[in-house]
């Protein structure tokens, strides 16, 4: 029998039901140009049981409060159809040196006047969520990207999308 202390758990798991400050700042819809490259993976399951993945940027995600996330998807995306059917999704991403996985309950969100993007808007509430990190390694990024030649055009589109998400979220809370 050993008198040595039990080894420390290398994996730190944090369960939450409200967005941590760093995540809320990431999804606040501001300073989009400084957040380019961030990618979140939105997972859904269609009626055939197939997992569908949509890779989303900060221009497609907006957290209007501490427990909600608004999402903009292209209507032809398989994930948009799957979410309309199941109402459930998982969002995975890296932020603040940790891996996050958030289970969301998702519902349609009405569009806003003057929005000609054709995007589908969804509103999700946190069902269960956790972050994971380890003491011996720092997560520095997840899936990342760089904007190419039309980067300014994309940033302008993201700003419009976030404004539409903000308006739709505000209308849903009335």
């Amino acid at each position: 029998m050993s008198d040595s202390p039990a080894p420390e758990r290398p994996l730190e798991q944090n369960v939450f039901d409200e967005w941590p400050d760093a995540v809320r700042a990431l999804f606040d819809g501001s300073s989009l140009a400084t957040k380019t490259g961030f990618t979140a993976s939105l997972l859904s399951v269609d009626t055939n049981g197939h997992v569908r993945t949509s890779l989303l940027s900060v221009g497609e995600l907006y957290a209007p409060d501490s427990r909600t996330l608004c999402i903009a998807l292209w209507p032809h995306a398989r994930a948009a159809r799957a979410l309309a059917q199941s109402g459930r999704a998982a969002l995975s991403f890296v932020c603040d040196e940790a891996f996050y996985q958030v289970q969301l309950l998702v519902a349609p969100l009405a569009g806003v006047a003057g929005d000609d993007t054709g995007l589908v808007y969804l509103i999700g509430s946190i069902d269960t969520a956790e972050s994971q990190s380890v003491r011996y390694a720092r997560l520095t990024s997840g899936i990342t990207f760089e904007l190419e030649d039309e980067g300014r055009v994309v940033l302008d589109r993201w700003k419009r999308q976030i404004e539409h998400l903000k308006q739709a979220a505000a209308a849903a809370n009335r």
Side-chain angles (χ1 to χ4, degrees):
M1 189 170 200
S2 171
D3 288 332
S4 62
E8 285 188 48
R9 264 183 72 186
L11 177 66
E12 290 184 31
Q13 291 180 291
N14 296 305
V15 175
F16 60 92
D17 61 1
E18 291 188 356
W19 297 117
D21 291 341
V23 175
R24 184 91 190 269
L26 182 63
F27 298 149
D28 69 1
S30 70
S31 305
L32 297 176
T34 66
K35 299 172 185 175
T36 61
F38 170 84
T39 307
S41 178
L42 183 72
L43 302 166
S44 57
V45 178
D46 68 17
T47 55
N48 294 323
H50 297 126
V51 175
R52 300 298 179 196
T53 303
S54 290
L55 299 178
L56 304 176
S57 68
V58 292
E60 296 150 328
L61 301 166
Y62 169 64
D65 59 50
S66 64
R67 296 174 187 252
T68 307
L69 185 67
C70 297
I71 303 165
L73 293 174
W74 295 107
H76 57 276
R78 294 179 296 185
R81 289 189 302 275
L83 290 173
Q85 294 163 351
S86 73
R88 299 189 63 82
L91 187 74
S92 300
F93 56 93
V94 172
C95 177
D96 202 26
E97 301 180 355
F99 173 76
Y100 286 81
Q101 187 163 55
V102 182
Q103 303 294 319
L104 297 167
L105 301 175
V106 181
L109 190 57
V112 295
D115 178 10
D116 60 356
T117 63
L119 293 170
V120 172
Y121 298 119
L122 305 166
I123 189 164
S125 59
I126 297 173
D127 183 26
T128 62
E130 69 177 22
S131 66
Q132 299 177 2
S133 60
V134 293
R135 291 184 184 98
Y136 57 84
R138 230 173 18 94
L139 286 176
T140 58
S141 70
I143 301 168
T144 59
F145 67 92
E146 292 180 11
L147 292 175
E148 295 294 323
D149 301 331
E150 297 181 20
R152 177 89 290 185
V153 172
V154 172
L155 278 172
D156 289 343
R157 185 181 79 230
W158 286 358
K159 289 175 185 173
R160 286 190 307 276
Q161 288 172 190
I162 291 296
E163 279 308 310
H164 293 149
L165 284 172
K166 286 179 179 180
Q167 292 171 23
N173 288 328
R174 288 188 193 139

